[in-house]
Amino acid sequence: MNFNTLSKTKRNIVLSLFVFIAFQSIYSLSVLFSFERSANLTALAIENRIAKDFARLPLPNSEANIAGDERVVRNYIKLLNRQLLNQSVQTSVTHIGDITVDDVHQGNLAQRQILLDTPSQIVPITISYAEPTLLKLMGPFAVICAIGFFFILNFRLKTQQIKLRLNSDSVASVTKLVIDLENKCLLNSTTGVQVPLANKPLCFYTALVEFCIEDKETVLNQNKDLPDDLLQLADKYFYRLVELGHTIRKRPNFSNSLEKTLSEVRAALDEVFANDVQTKEIYYPPKAHGEGSRSKLHHYGLNTISDGDVEVIGK
């Protein structure tokens, strides 16, 4: 695993942690909200039940000089707590007024107080209930979502890596011609074979390649004058060689000895693409066949070459 892949894997882990935190927060809040709602409903049900039974409860009342019966009240509380065992929230009544029973529940307990307003007195009622544990707040939902999200990100990462590898292999397998003006040679991008070329054929061929990429309509024939655009390109590359320090001679006449110039180019291309005849056809100026073809129909232009087929170094 390279550094780039490792960093992306760490990024995926961090993103998955954020997903876990987000879903866990949502889940925990929903559990707390549901618990609080159930606790409120249970407390309201307890208050209503005690209010209905209040007339039969012998609660002490100092203001009315009523002693009451604590044993009956405790038994009532125990009976009420047994009925509360079926509630979704673990709840029990611990106090009605000043009468207390031990809480039958164990665990993380919290209390809330209800004030029951009766015609004769206000009676405080204390309710004890178990709050949600950390295990209940965690739950498996967020973990499952985070793990699933991590696997999805990793799957996308591996898919992208496979595509990049296939693309790089495809690009690497495409052979193209490199014209190196700095070293005055032609180079095979795949095999690394390079062949030196003299100034005149090098400049002319570089100009020919650029001309044919832009213009495939003009017929190039040895018996016709070279197009002005082609001559200007050849001059441009000759002066580029001068700038690179390869020559101090005067500019050659590219119109003279054209067949010799093309022969030197073909000879160099024969060496560069010695074992790849099919690729060589893209770059090879066609030879004339027969006297009639040489005089009338021959075209030494590169009809199939495109911009992506050639790389010029030192341009």
Side-chain angles (χ1 to χ4, degrees), residues 150-197:
F150 177 76
F151 277 111
I152 291 173
L153 291 179
N154 263 15
F155 176 77
R156 289 186 60 188
L157 176 60
K158 290 180 180 179
T159 302
Q160 291 172 355
Q161 289 174 343
I162 292 172
K163 287 182 179 180
L164 288 174
R165 193 179 303 117
L166 292 175
N167 290 337
S168 62
D169 292 343
S170 175
V171 171
S173 64
V174 175
T175 300
K176 64 180 180 180
L177 177 67
V178 178
I179 302 176
D180 190 348
L181 298 179
E182 295 178 352
N183 296 299
K184 292 175 55 178
C185 67
L186 303 183
L187 174 69
N188 186 314
S189 65
T190 299
T191 64
V193 173
Q194 60 181 24
V195 178
L197 204 57

mmCIF file of all heavy atoms in Angstrom, residues 150-197:
data_model
loop_
_atom_site.group_PDB
_atom_site.id
_atom_site.type_symbol
_atom_site.label_atom_id
_atom_site.label_comp_id
_atom_site.label_asym_id
_atom_site.label_seq_id
_atom_site.Cartn_x
_atom_site.Cartn_y
_atom_site.Cartn_z
ATOM 1 N N PHE A 150 -17.789 2.621 5.828
ATOM 2 C CA PHE A 150 -16.354 2.412 5.621
ATOM 3 C C PHE A 150 -16.110 1.428 4.475
ATOM 4 O O PHE A 150 -15.239 1.650 3.624
ATOM 5 C CB PHE A 150 -15.715 1.894 6.909
ATOM 6 C CG PHE A 150 -14.257 1.581 6.770
ATOM 7 C CD1 PHE A 150 -13.315 2.602 6.739
ATOM 8 C CD2 PHE A 150 -13.815 0.273 6.665
ATOM 9 C CE1 PHE A 150 -11.964 2.321 6.606
ATOM 10 C CE2 PHE A 150 -12.472 -0.016 6.527
ATOM 11 C CZ PHE A 150 -11.538 1.008 6.500
ATOM 12 N N PHE A 151 -16.872 0.341 4.439
ATOM 13 C CA PHE A 151 -16.695 -0.649 3.370
ATOM 14 C C PHE A 151 -17.082 -0.065 2.008
ATOM 15 O O PHE A 151 -16.448 -0.377 0.989
ATOM 16 C CB PHE A 151 -17.514 -1.907 3.662
ATOM 17 C CG PHE A 151 -16.828 -2.866 4.592
ATOM 18 C CD1 PHE A 151 -17.312 -3.073 5.869
ATOM 19 C CD2 PHE A 151 -15.676 -3.534 4.209
ATOM 20 C CE1 PHE A 151 -16.676 -3.937 6.737
ATOM 21 C CE2 PHE A 151 -15.028 -4.406 5.073
ATOM 22 C CZ PHE A 151 -15.529 -4.616 6.342
ATOM 23 N N ILE A 152 -18.091 0.796 1.976
ATOM 24 C CA ILE A 152 -18.480 1.440 0.716
ATOM 25 C C ILE A 152 -17.360 2.350 0.217
ATOM 26 O O ILE A 152 -17.002 2.348 -0.968
ATOM 27 C CB ILE A 152 -19.792 2.232 0.896
ATOM 28 C CG1 ILE A 152 -20.961 1.273 1.104
ATOM 29 C CG2 ILE A 152 -20.055 3.128 -0.313
ATOM 30 C CD1 ILE A 152 -22.260 1.967 1.457
ATOM 31 N N LEU A 153 -16.784 3.162 1.135
ATOM 32 C CA LEU A 153 -15.681 4.051 0.751
ATOM 33 C C LEU A 153 -14.470 3.253 0.281
ATOM 34 O O LEU A 153 -13.816 3.616 -0.712
ATOM 35 C CB LEU A 153 -15.295 4.942 1.932
ATOM 36 C CG LEU A 153 -16.298 6.011 2.358
ATOM 37 C CD1 LEU A 153 -15.771 6.785 3.551
ATOM 38 C CD2 LEU A 153 -16.592 6.976 1.210
ATOM 39 N N ASN A 154 -14.165 2.168 0.981
ATOM 40 C CA ASN A 154 -13.026 1.345 0.578
ATOM 41 C C ASN A 154 -13.261 0.686 -0.772
ATOM 42 O O ASN A 154 -12.333 0.545 -1.582
ATOM 43 C CB ASN A 154 -12.749 0.274 1.634
ATOM 44 C CG ASN A 154 -11.654 0.701 2.589
ATOM 45 O OD1 ASN A 154 -11.303 1.878 2.642
ATOM 46 N ND2 ASN A 154 -11.118 -0.226 3.343
ATOM 47 N N PHE A 155 -14.507 0.271 -1.017
ATOM 48 C CA PHE A 155 -14.832 -0.341 -2.310
ATOM 49 C C PHE A 155 -14.639 0.673 -3.430
ATOM 50 O O PHE A 155 -14.078 0.354 -4.484
ATOM 51 C CB PHE A 155 -16.274 -0.850 -2.288
ATOM 52 C CG PHE A 155 -16.739 -1.417 -3.599
ATOM 53 C CD1 PHE A 155 -16.345 -2.680 -4.017
ATOM 54 C CD2 PHE A 155 -17.560 -0.659 -4.446
ATOM 55 C CE1 PHE A 155 -16.766 -3.190 -5.235
ATOM 56 C CE2 PHE A 155 -17.986 -1.162 -5.657
ATOM 57 C CZ PHE A 155 -17.586 -2.429 -6.047
ATOM 58 N N ARG A 156 -15.088 1.912 -3.197
ATOM 59 C CA ARG A 156 -14.901 2.970 -4.203
ATOM 60 C C ARG A 156 -13.426 3.266 -4.413
ATOM 61 O O ARG A 156 -12.980 3.471 -5.546
ATOM 62 C CB ARG A 156 -15.624 4.239 -3.766
ATOM 63 C CG ARG A 156 -17.141 4.147 -3.827
ATOM 64 C CD ARG A 156 -17.774 5.485 -3.509
ATOM 65 N NE ARG A 156 -17.349 6.511 -4.455
ATOM 66 C CZ ARG A 156 -17.629 7.792 -4.332
ATOM 67 N NH1 ARG A 156 -18.318 8.212 -3.296
ATOM 68 N NH2 ARG A 156 -17.210 8.662 -5.226
ATOM 69 N N LEU A 157 -12.650 3.273 -3.325
ATOM 70 C CA LEU A 157 -11.215 3.535 -3.429
ATOM 71 C C LEU A 157 -10.522 2.463 -4.249
ATOM 72 O O LEU A 157 -9.711 2.769 -5.137
ATOM 73 C CB LEU A 157 -10.607 3.615 -2.023
ATOM 74 C CG LEU A 157 -9.080 3.790 -1.956
ATOM 75 C CD1 LEU A 157 -8.654 5.080 -2.646
ATOM 76 C CD2 LEU A 157 -8.616 3.783 -0.509
ATOM 77 N N LYS A 158 -10.852 1.201 -3.983
ATOM 78 C CA LYS A 158 -10.231 0.111 -4.732
ATOM 79 C C LYS A 158 -10.650 0.146 -6.196
ATOM 80 O O LYS A 158 -9.843 -0.128 -7.082
ATOM 81 C CB LYS A 158 -10.611 -1.230 -4.100
ATOM 82 C CG LYS A 158 -9.958 -1.459 -2.745
ATOM 83 C CD LYS A 158 -10.366 -2.799 -2.153
ATOM 84 C CE LYS A 158 -9.697 -3.007 -0.795
ATOM 85 N NZ LYS A 158 -10.090 -4.304 -0.190
ATOM 86 N N THR A 159 -11.919 0.493 -6.444
ATOM 87 C CA THR A 159 -12.391 0.597 -7.830
ATOM 88 C C THR A 159 -11.645 1.693 -8.577
ATOM 89 O O THR A 159 -11.226 1.505 -9.730
ATOM 90 C CB THR A 159 -13.900 0.894 -7.853
ATOM 91 O OG1 THR A 159 -14.599 -0.134 -7.148
ATOM 92 C CG2 THR A 159 -14.415 0.952 -9.289
ATOM 93 N N GLN A 160 -11.441 2.852 -7.924
ATOM 94 C CA GLN A 160 -10.694 3.945 -8.547
ATOM 95 C C GLN A 160 -9.250 3.551 -8.811
ATOM 96 O O GLN A 160 -8.685 3.889 -9.850
ATOM 97 C CB GLN A 160 -10.748 5.187 -7.652
ATOM 98 C CG GLN A 160 -12.123 5.825 -7.572
ATOM 99 C CD GLN A 160 -12.184 6.940 -6.536
ATOM 100 O OE1 GLN A 160 -11.218 7.174 -5.801
ATOM 101 N NE2 GLN A 160 -13.318 7.616 -6.451
ATOM 102 N N GLN A 161 -8.650 2.808 -7.862
ATOM 103 C CA GLN A 161 -7.263 2.375 -8.042
ATOM 104 C C GLN A 161 -7.139 1.413 -9.217
ATOM 105 O O GLN A 161 -6.175 1.489 -9.991
ATOM 106 C CB GLN A 161 -6.757 1.711 -6.758
ATOM 107 C CG GLN A 161 -6.549 2.682 -5.617
ATOM 108 C CD GLN A 161 -6.200 1.976 -4.321
ATOM 109 O OE1 GLN A 161 -6.404 0.775 -4.171
ATOM 110 N NE2 GLN A 161 -5.662 2.728 -3.383
ATOM 111 N N ILE A 162 -8.118 0.522 -9.354
ATOM 112 C CA ILE A 162 -8.088 -0.423 -10.482
ATOM 113 C C ILE A 162 -8.218 0.325 -11.801
ATOM 114 O O ILE A 162 -7.504 0.043 -12.769
ATOM 115 C CB ILE A 162 -9.218 -1.468 -10.328
ATOM 116 C CG1 ILE A 162 -8.927 -2.388 -9.135
ATOM 117 C CG2 ILE A 162 -9.361 -2.293 -11.603
ATOM 118 C CD1 ILE A 162 -10.068 -3.329 -8.798
ATOM 119 N N LYS A 163 -9.128 1.320 -11.848
ATOM 120 C CA LYS A 163 -9.303 2.107 -13.077
ATOM 121 C C LYS A 163 -8.031 2.879 -13.422
ATOM 122 O O LYS A 163 -7.613 2.923 -14.578
ATOM 123 C CB LYS A 163 -10.479 3.074 -12.915
ATOM 124 C CG LYS A 163 -11.845 2.399 -12.939
ATOM 125 C CD LYS A 163 -12.948 3.431 -12.817
ATOM 126 C CE LYS A 163 -14.324 2.773 -12.865
ATOM 127 N NZ LYS A 163 -15.420 3.779 -12.742
ATOM 128 N N LEU A 164 -7.413 3.496 -12.387
ATOM 129 C CA LEU A 164 -6.180 4.243 -12.627
ATOM 130 C C LEU A 164 -5.069 3.324 -13.109
ATOM 131 O O LEU A 164 -4.288 3.688 -13.995
ATOM 132 C CB LEU A 164 -5.744 4.957 -11.335
ATOM 133 C CG LEU A 164 -6.594 6.154 -10.907
ATOM 134 C CD1 LEU A 164 -6.129 6.668 -9.553
ATOM 135 C CD2 LEU A 164 -6.520 7.265 -11.949
ATOM 136 N N ARG A 165 -5.005 2.116 -12.519
ATOM 137 C CA ARG A 165 -3.971 1.166 -12.936
ATOM 138 C C ARG A 165 -4.193 0.719 -14.374
ATOM 139 O O ARG A 165 -3.251 0.628 -15.164
ATOM 140 C CB ARG A 165 -3.984 -0.046 -11.999
ATOM 141 C CG ARG A 165 -2.756 -0.939 -12.145
ATOM 142 C CD ARG A 165 -2.804 -2.108 -11.180
ATOM 143 N NE ARG A 165 -2.917 -1.656 -9.806
ATOM 144 C CZ ARG A 165 -3.954 -1.911 -9.016
ATOM 145 N NH1 ARG A 165 -4.991 -2.586 -9.486
ATOM 146 N NH2 ARG A 165 -3.970 -1.473 -7.783
ATOM 147 N N LEU A 166 -5.452 0.454 -14.713
ATOM 148 C CA LEU A 166 -5.753 0.048 -16.087
ATOM 149 C C LEU A 166 -5.447 1.169 -17.072
ATOM 150 O O LEU A 166 -4.905 0.934 -18.155
ATOM 151 C CB LEU A 166 -7.225 -0.378 -16.205
ATOM 152 C CG LEU A 166 -7.615 -1.659 -15.479
ATOM 153 C CD1 LEU A 166 -9.113 -1.882 -15.582
ATOM 154 C CD2 LEU A 166 -6.860 -2.858 -16.068
ATOM 155 N N ASN A 167 -5.796 2.417 -16.677
ATOM 156 C CA ASN A 167 -5.529 3.566 -17.552
ATOM 157 C C ASN A 167 -4.040 3.795 -17.728
ATOM 158 O O ASN A 167 -3.571 4.075 -18.824
ATOM 159 C CB ASN A 167 -6.183 4.826 -16.988
ATOM 160 C CG ASN A 167 -7.695 4.793 -17.080
ATOM 161 O OD1 ASN A 167 -8.244 4.070 -17.911
ATOM 162 N ND2 ASN A 167 -8.366 5.552 -16.250
ATOM 163 N N SER A 168 -3.293 3.669 -16.611
ATOM 164 C CA SER A 168 -1.843 3.877 -16.708
ATOM 165 C C SER A 168 -1.191 2.788 -17.544
ATOM 166 O O SER A 168 -0.274 3.048 -18.313
ATOM 167 C CB SER A 168 -1.223 3.911 -15.310
ATOM 168 O OG SER A 168 -1.421 2.668 -14.651
ATOM 169 N N ASP A 169 -1.692 1.541 -17.376
ATOM 170 C CA ASP A 169 -1.153 0.450 -18.202
ATOM 171 C C ASP A 169 -1.463 0.683 -19.668
ATOM 172 O O ASP A 169 -0.641 0.412 -20.549
ATOM 173 C CB ASP A 169 -1.740 -0.892 -17.758
ATOM 174 C CG ASP A 169 -1.248 -1.297 -16.376
ATOM 175 O OD1 ASP A 169 -0.230 -0.724 -15.926
ATOM 176 O OD2 ASP A 169 -1.874 -2.165 -15.749
ATOM 177 N N SER A 170 -2.681 1.205 -19.924
ATOM 178 C CA SER A 170 -3.077 1.464 -21.308
ATOM 179 C C SER A 170 -2.223 2.567 -21.923
ATOM 180 O O SER A 170 -1.765 2.467 -23.055
ATOM 181 C CB SER A 170 -4.554 1.849 -21.364
ATOM 182 O OG SER A 170 -4.931 2.204 -22.667
ATOM 183 N N VAL A 171 -2.008 3.644 -21.118
ATOM 184 C CA VAL A 171 -1.190 4.744 -21.627
ATOM 185 C C VAL A 171 0.239 4.301 -21.855
ATOM 186 O O VAL A 171 0.884 4.651 -22.835
ATOM 187 C CB VAL A 171 -1.243 5.932 -20.637
ATOM 188 C CG1 VAL A 171 -0.236 6.996 -21.020
ATOM 189 C CG2 VAL A 171 -2.645 6.518 -20.614
ATOM 190 N N ALA A 172 0.724 3.471 -20.867
ATOM 191 C CA ALA A 172 2.111 3.020 -20.987
ATOM 192 C C ALA A 172 2.308 2.116 -22.183
ATOM 193 O O ALA A 172 3.397 2.036 -22.754
ATOM 194 C CB ALA A 172 2.526 2.302 -19.705
ATOM 195 N N SER A 173 1.258 1.394 -22.594
ATOM 196 C CA SER A 173 1.404 0.447 -23.689
ATOM 197 C C SER A 173 1.325 1.121 -25.065
ATOM 198 O O SER A 173 1.627 0.494 -26.067
ATOM 199 C CB SER A 173 0.308 -0.622 -23.595
ATOM 200 O OG SER A 173 -0.972 -0.036 -23.766
ATOM 201 N N VAL A 174 0.914 2.397 -25.123
ATOM 202 C CA VAL A 174 0.809 3.097 -26.404
ATOM 203 C C VAL A 174 2.173 3.669 -26.777
ATOM 204 O O VAL A 174 2.757 4.451 -26.039
ATOM 205 C CB VAL A 174 -0.240 4.222 -26.321
ATOM 206 C CG1 VAL A 174 -0.251 5.026 -27.611
ATOM 207 C CG2 VAL A 174 -1.615 3.631 -26.045
ATOM 208 N N THR A 175 2.674 3.237 -27.916
ATOM 209 C CA THR A 175 3.973 3.718 -28.383
ATOM 210 C C THR A 175 3.788 4.983 -29.210
ATOM 211 O O THR A 175 2.895 5.063 -30.049
ATOM 212 C CB THR A 175 4.656 2.642 -29.255
ATOM 213 O OG1 THR A 175 4.846 1.464 -28.472
ATOM 214 C CG2 THR A 175 6.009 3.129 -29.744
ATOM 215 N N LYS A 176 4.624 5.967 -28.953
ATOM 216 C CA LYS A 176 4.596 7.173 -29.776
ATOM 217 C C LYS A 176 6.011 7.655 -30.036
ATOM 218 O O LYS A 176 6.972 7.240 -29.365
ATOM 219 C CB LYS A 176 3.769 8.269 -29.103
ATOM 220 C CG LYS A 176 4.304 8.794 -27.794
ATOM 221 C CD LYS A 176 3.355 9.874 -27.255
ATOM 222 C CE LYS A 176 3.846 10.433 -25.921
ATOM 223 N NZ LYS A 176 2.933 11.476 -25.406
ATOM 224 N N LEU A 177 6.123 8.535 -31.009
ATOM 225 C CA LEU A 177 7.422 9.073 -31.413
ATOM 226 C C LEU A 177 7.746 10.310 -30.590
ATOM 227 O O LEU A 177 6.911 11.188 -30.402
ATOM 228 C CB LEU A 177 7.394 9.431 -32.900
ATOM 229 C CG LEU A 177 8.669 10.086 -33.457
ATOM 230 C CD1 LEU A 177 9.840 9.102 -33.435
ATOM 231 C CD2 LEU A 177 8.434 10.606 -34.874
ATOM 232 N N VAL A 178 8.976 10.360 -30.096
ATOM 233 C CA VAL A 178 9.469 11.530 -29.383
ATOM 234 C C VAL A 178 10.535 12.198 -30.256
ATOM 235 O O VAL A 178 11.524 11.552 -30.644
ATOM 236 C CB VAL A 178 10.069 11.154 -28.020
ATOM 237 C CG1 VAL A 178 10.619 12.401 -27.320
ATOM 238 C CG2 VAL A 178 9.028 10.460 -27.153
ATOM 239 N N ILE A 179 10.317 13.458 -30.608
ATOM 240 C CA ILE A 179 11.311 14.236 -31.360
ATOM 241 C C ILE A 179 12.048 15.106 -30.346
ATOM 242 O O ILE A 179 11.478 16.033 -29.773
ATOM 243 C CB ILE A 179 10.643 15.107 -32.438
ATOM 244 C CG1 ILE A 179 9.841 14.225 -33.401
ATOM 245 C CG2 ILE A 179 11.686 15.904 -33.196
ATOM 246 C CD1 ILE A 179 9.053 15.009 -34.443
ATOM 247 N N ASP A 180 13.302 14.778 -30.119
ATOM 248 C CA ASP A 180 14.101 15.466 -29.100
ATOM 249 C C ASP A 180 15.015 16.476 -29.774
ATOM 250 O O ASP A 180 16.072 16.119 -30.313
ATOM 251 C CB ASP A 180 14.905 14.440 -28.304
ATOM 252 C CG ASP A 180 15.571 15.058 -27.078
ATOM 253 O OD1 ASP A 180 15.596 16.298 -26.974
ATOM 254 O OD2 ASP A 180 16.074 14.291 -26.236
ATOM 255 N N LEU A 181 14.619 17.756 -29.761
ATOM 256 C CA LEU A 181 15.442 18.805 -30.369
ATOM 257 C C LEU A 181 16.684 19.098 -29.523
ATOM 258 O O LEU A 181 17.703 19.539 -30.060
ATOM 259 C CB LEU A 181 14.611 20.080 -30.528
ATOM 260 C CG LEU A 181 13.379 19.978 -31.444
ATOM 261 C CD1 LEU A 181 12.639 21.311 -31.470
ATOM 262 C CD2 LEU A 181 13.758 19.550 -32.852
ATOM 263 N N GLU A 182 16.594 18.861 -28.235
ATOM 264 C CA GLU A 182 17.735 19.146 -27.375
ATOM 265 C C GLU A 182 18.893 18.185 -27.634
ATOM 266 O O GLU A 182 20.061 18.558 -27.546
ATOM 267 C CB GLU A 182 17.303 19.079 -25.905
ATOM 268 C CG GLU A 182 16.290 20.160 -25.532
ATOM 269 C CD GLU A 182 15.844 20.057 -24.094
ATOM 270 O OE1 GLU A 182 16.213 19.050 -23.434
ATOM 271 O OE2 GLU A 182 15.125 20.966 -23.624
ATOM 272 N N ASN A 183 18.561 16.941 -27.948
ATOM 273 C CA ASN A 183 19.600 15.935 -28.231
ATOM 274 C C ASN A 183 19.661 15.546 -29.711
ATOM 275 O O ASN A 183 20.401 14.628 -30.066
ATOM 276 C CB ASN A 183 19.351 14.684 -27.381
ATOM 277 C CG ASN A 183 19.487 14.951 -25.903
ATOM 278 O OD1 ASN A 183 20.543 15.340 -25.437
ATOM 279 N ND2 ASN A 183 18.402 14.768 -25.157
ATOM 280 N N LYS A 184 18.850 16.222 -30.535
ATOM 281 C CA LYS A 184 18.854 16.017 -31.996
ATOM 282 C C LYS A 184 18.679 14.537 -32.367
ATOM 283 O O LYS A 184 19.512 13.945 -33.042
ATOM 284 C CB LYS A 184 20.146 16.552 -32.607
ATOM 285 C CG LYS A 184 20.281 18.068 -32.556
ATOM 286 C CD LYS A 184 21.630 18.527 -33.075
ATOM 287 C CE LYS A 184 21.892 18.003 -34.474
ATOM 288 N NZ LYS A 184 23.182 18.465 -35.016
ATOM 289 N N CYS A 185 17.557 13.975 -31.911
ATOM 290 C CA CYS A 185 17.319 12.554 -32.210
ATOM 291 C C CYS A 185 15.830 12.265 -32.222
ATOM 292 O O CYS A 185 15.018 13.064 -31.746
ATOM 293 C CB CYS A 185 18.027 11.668 -31.183
ATOM 294 S SG CYS A 185 17.348 11.796 -29.514
ATOM 295 N N LEU A 186 15.502 11.092 -32.781
ATOM 296 C CA LEU A 186 14.151 10.540 -32.727
ATOM 297 C C LEU A 186 14.171 9.398 -31.726
ATOM 298 O O LEU A 186 15.119 8.613 -31.682
ATOM 299 C CB LEU A 186 13.708 10.047 -34.108
ATOM 300 C CG LEU A 186 13.727 11.059 -35.255
ATOM 301 C CD1 LEU A 186 13.192 10.417 -36.546
ATOM 302 C CD2 LEU A 186 12.909 12.291 -34.914
ATOM 303 N N LEU A 187 13.087 9.283 -30.939
ATOM 304 C CA LEU A 187 13.082 8.326 -29.832
ATOM 305 C C LEU A 187 11.776 7.535 -29.815
ATOM 306 O O LEU A 187 10.700 8.090 -30.014
ATOM 307 C CB LEU A 187 13.262 9.075 -28.504
ATOM 308 C CG LEU A 187 13.136 8.281 -27.208
ATOM 309 C CD1 LEU A 187 14.293 7.318 -27.050
ATOM 310 C CD2 LEU A 187 13.081 9.226 -26.006
ATOM 311 N N ASN A 188 11.886 6.227 -29.570
ATOM 312 C CA ASN A 188 10.721 5.366 -29.381
ATOM 313 C C ASN A 188 10.343 5.407 -27.901
ATOM 314 O O ASN A 188 11.137 5.028 -27.039
ATOM 315 C CB ASN A 188 11.056 3.934 -29.814
ATOM 316 C CG ASN A 188 9.838 3.009 -29.778
ATOM 317 O OD1 ASN A 188 9.082 2.999 -28.826
ATOM 318 N ND2 ASN A 188 9.686 2.208 -30.824
ATOM 319 N N SER A 189 9.125 5.862 -27.582
ATOM 320 C CA SER A 189 8.727 6.066 -26.180
ATOM 321 C C SER A 189 8.629 4.761 -25.407
ATOM 322 O O SER A 189 8.741 4.759 -24.182
ATOM 323 C CB SER A 189 7.377 6.796 -26.115
ATOM 324 O OG SER A 189 6.346 5.987 -26.656
ATOM 325 N N THR A 190 8.420 3.635 -26.081
ATOM 326 C CA THR A 190 8.269 2.351 -25.396
ATOM 327 C C THR A 190 9.592 1.625 -25.246
ATOM 328 O O THR A 190 9.961 1.194 -24.148
ATOM 329 C CB THR A 190 7.269 1.461 -26.154
ATOM 330 O OG1 THR A 190 5.996 2.106 -26.193
ATOM 331 C CG2 THR A 190 7.106 0.111 -25.455
ATOM 332 N N THR A 191 10.340 1.489 -26.344
ATOM 333 C CA THR A 191 11.592 0.725 -26.307
ATOM 334 C C THR A 191 12.777 1.568 -25.865
ATOM 335 O O THR A 191 13.800 1.035 -25.430
ATOM 336 C CB THR A 191 11.896 0.131 -27.691
ATOM 337 O OG1 THR A 191 12.106 1.196 -28.631
ATOM 338 C CG2 THR A 191 10.737 -0.736 -28.156
ATOM 339 N N GLY A 192 12.678 2.884 -26.001
ATOM 340 C CA GLY A 192 13.795 3.756 -25.656
ATOM 341 C C GLY A 192 14.851 3.865 -26.736
ATOM 342 O O GLY A 192 15.875 4.535 -26.548
ATOM 343 N N VAL A 193 14.612 3.225 -27.874
ATOM 344 C CA VAL A 193 15.575 3.302 -28.981
ATOM 345 C C VAL A 193 15.596 4.731 -29.525
ATOM 346 O O VAL A 193 14.545 5.304 -29.825
ATOM 347 C CB VAL A 193 15.200 2.306 -30.109
ATOM 348 C CG1 VAL A 193 16.101 2.518 -31.319
ATOM 349 C CG2 VAL A 193 15.302 0.885 -29.598
ATOM 350 N N GLN A 194 16.792 5.316 -29.639
ATOM 351 C CA GLN A 194 16.902 6.663 -30.178
ATOM 352 C C GLN A 194 17.934 6.680 -31.304
ATOM 353 O O GLN A 194 18.946 5.996 -31.254
ATOM 354 C CB GLN A 194 17.267 7.668 -29.093
ATOM 355 C CG GLN A 194 18.585 7.420 -28.383
ATOM 356 C CD GLN A 194 18.852 8.461 -27.311
ATOM 357 O OE1 GLN A 194 17.927 9.071 -26.790
ATOM 358 N NE2 GLN A 194 20.115 8.687 -27.004
ATOM 359 N N VAL A 195 17.626 7.474 -32.316
ATOM 360 C CA VAL A 195 18.474 7.563 -33.508
ATOM 361 C C VAL A 195 18.768 9.037 -33.757
ATOM 362 O O VAL A 195 17.841 9.844 -33.874
ATOM 363 C CB VAL A 195 17.769 6.943 -34.734
ATOM 364 C CG1 VAL A 195 18.650 7.081 -35.971
ATOM 365 C CG2 VAL A 195 17.430 5.480 -34.467
ATOM 366 N N PRO A 196 20.064 9.417 -33.852
ATOM 367 C CA PRO A 196 20.404 10.819 -34.119
ATOM 368 C C PRO A 196 20.030 11.207 -35.544
ATOM 369 O O PRO A 196 19.984 10.361 -36.446
ATOM 370 C CB PRO A 196 21.914 10.855 -33.886
ATOM 371 C CG PRO A 196 22.368 9.452 -34.079
ATOM 372 C CD PRO A 196 21.255 8.568 -33.649
ATOM 373 N N LEU A 197 19.776 12.492 -35.738
ATOM 374 C CA LEU A 197 19.382 12.988 -37.051
ATOM 375 C C LEU A 197 20.058 14.340 -37.284
ATOM 376 O O LEU A 197 20.170 15.155 -36.363
ATOM 377 C CB LEU A 197 17.859 13.126 -37.111
ATOM 378 C CG LEU A 197 17.182 13.085 -38.492
ATOM 379 C CD1 LEU A 197 17.516 11.801 -39.233
ATOM 380 C CD2 LEU A 197 15.671 13.214 -38.342
#
